[in-house]
Amino acid sequence: NAGVMQNPRHLVRRRGQEARLRCSPMKGHSHVYWYRQLPEEGLKFMVYLQKENIIDESGMPKERFSAEFPKEGPSILRIQQVVRGDSAAYFCASSPDGRTYEQYFGPGTRLTVT
Amino acid sequence: AQSVTQLDSQVPVFEEAPVELRCNYSSSVSVYLFWYVQYPNQGLQLLLKYLSGSTLVKGINGFEAEFNKSQTSFHLRKPSVHISDTAEYFCAVTSQSGAGGSYIPTFGRGTSLIVHP
């Protein structure tokens, strides 16, 4: 029973490039949450998605960031024109439905912008 | 709005000593409380959770936490730590406050537990 999968685990991008982070939820889970962890800080909520729907994007930066969770395939967090300040660990979590308080976390993608 | 304060950024302790990691929260509604552990370069793993009922909650790896509503605290304790407990610990609070009644947790900044031999 595979857990939440994220890839790549490490991603290096130069300033101005695009970063694509992928998250496959646990089997049977149709709700995905993305979080960002800056050095020495806790996780900050970014966006909550259901298949083909964005439910809550109150934590997403207004520019350059977008997320999707298509009917088929993983959820993708996309960062356009990355800057040094985007360097962080990005975690994905999943739950079977949006009314479940317990979320299961993936191992994270560590993005480094050079 | 809800918030979480972890009062100690770092807690050094010797092996086999007891430890307490402090967490205080604020929320205007009923909450669920969690402690997660993060080992280096890994994701978060749930240690324990408080939903309702008994205020003393037991979790994995010998950890326990006590919910104190009057003090709005949820401190994590272990009577005897091991070297392998060295990790980052996060307290989180969640309530049905997200869009559409969803549960979006708020995390504290984390406490780094460092166990010395």
Side-chain angles (χ1 to χ4, degrees):
Chain A
N1 185 16
V4 178
M5 313 266 291
Q6 289 187 251
N7 67 80
R9 294 292 307 275
H10 300 274
L11 182 61
V12 180
R13 285 287 177 265
R14 290 201 185 99
R15 277 178 297 172
Q17 290 185 319
E18 179 179 286
R20 280 184 180 238
L21 288 62
R22 294 175 187 78
C23 169
S24 297
M26 283 183 72
K27 188 176 180 180
H29 288 193
S30 58
H31 294 244
V32 163
Y33 309 77
W34 285 94
Y35 298 86
R36 177 164 63 176
Q37 184 180 32
L38 294 169
E40 299 186 10
E41 289 192 20
L43 276 71
K44 302 289 186 194
F45 167 73
M46 298 181 76
V47 62
Y48 160 40
L49 309 106
Q50 200 178 334
K51 290 274 187 183
E52 300 183 283
N53 276 313
I54 296 175
I55 307 298
D56 185 340
E57 56 181 346
S58 58
M60 284 281 267
K62 293 285 184 273
E63 297 176 347
R64 303 187 297 109
F65 285 72
S66 62
E68 62 176 9
F69 190 15
K71 190 177 179 182
E72 301 291 337
S75 174
I76 295 179
L77 180 67
R78 183 180 175 211
I79 311 172
Q80 295 178 287
Q81 298 176 317
V82 295
V83 300
R84 288 240 172 96
D86 296 332
S87 295
Y90 292 83
F91 290 95
C92 166
S94 73
S95 69
D97 59 58
R99 306 188 73 74
T100 301
Y101 43 76
E102 195 166 333
Q103 299 177 6
Y104 297 84
F105 284 83
T109 293
R110 275 148 186 87
L111 172 66
T112 302
V113 179
T114 61
Chain B
Q2 56 197 24
S3 66
V4 177
T5 302
Q6 289 185 244
L7 296 160
D8 307 296
S9 59
Q10 207 173 77
V11 173
V13 64
F14 286 107
E15 194 173 20
E16 297 183 11
V19 71
E20 179 178 82
L21 307 183
R22 296 180 293 171
C23 172
N24 286 88
Y25 70 93
S26 67
S27 176
S28 56
V29 297
S30 296
V31 296
Y32 301 126
L33 295 153
F34 303 81
W35 275 99
Y36 289 88
V37 60
Q38 184 182 32
Y39 298 103
N41 297 317
Q42 293 187 27
L44 274 67
Q45 181 183 356
L46 182 66
L47 268 180
L48 50 77
K49 60 186 181 238
Y50 172 77
L51 308 177
S52 64
S54 173
T55 56
L56 184 62
V57 180
K58 294 193 182 297
I60 62 170
N61 301 342
F63 283 93
E64 63 181 32
E66 185 152 20
F67 170 58
N68 187 320
K69 189 174 182 179
S70 63
Q71 297 187 6
T72 60
S73 68
F74 190 54
H75 302 332
L76 181 71
R77 293 192 287 259
K78 186 169 183 178
S80 175
V81 294
H82 302 290
I83 296 282
S84 59
D85 292 324
T86 295
E88 195 79 15
Y89 291 79
F90 292 97
C91 181
V93 60
T94 189
S95 60
Q96 208 170 352
S97 56
S102 59
Y103 294 88
I104 303 296
T106 299
F107 288 86
R109 293 171 62 95
T111 296
S112 180
L113 176 63
I114 303 167
V115 181
H116 297 288

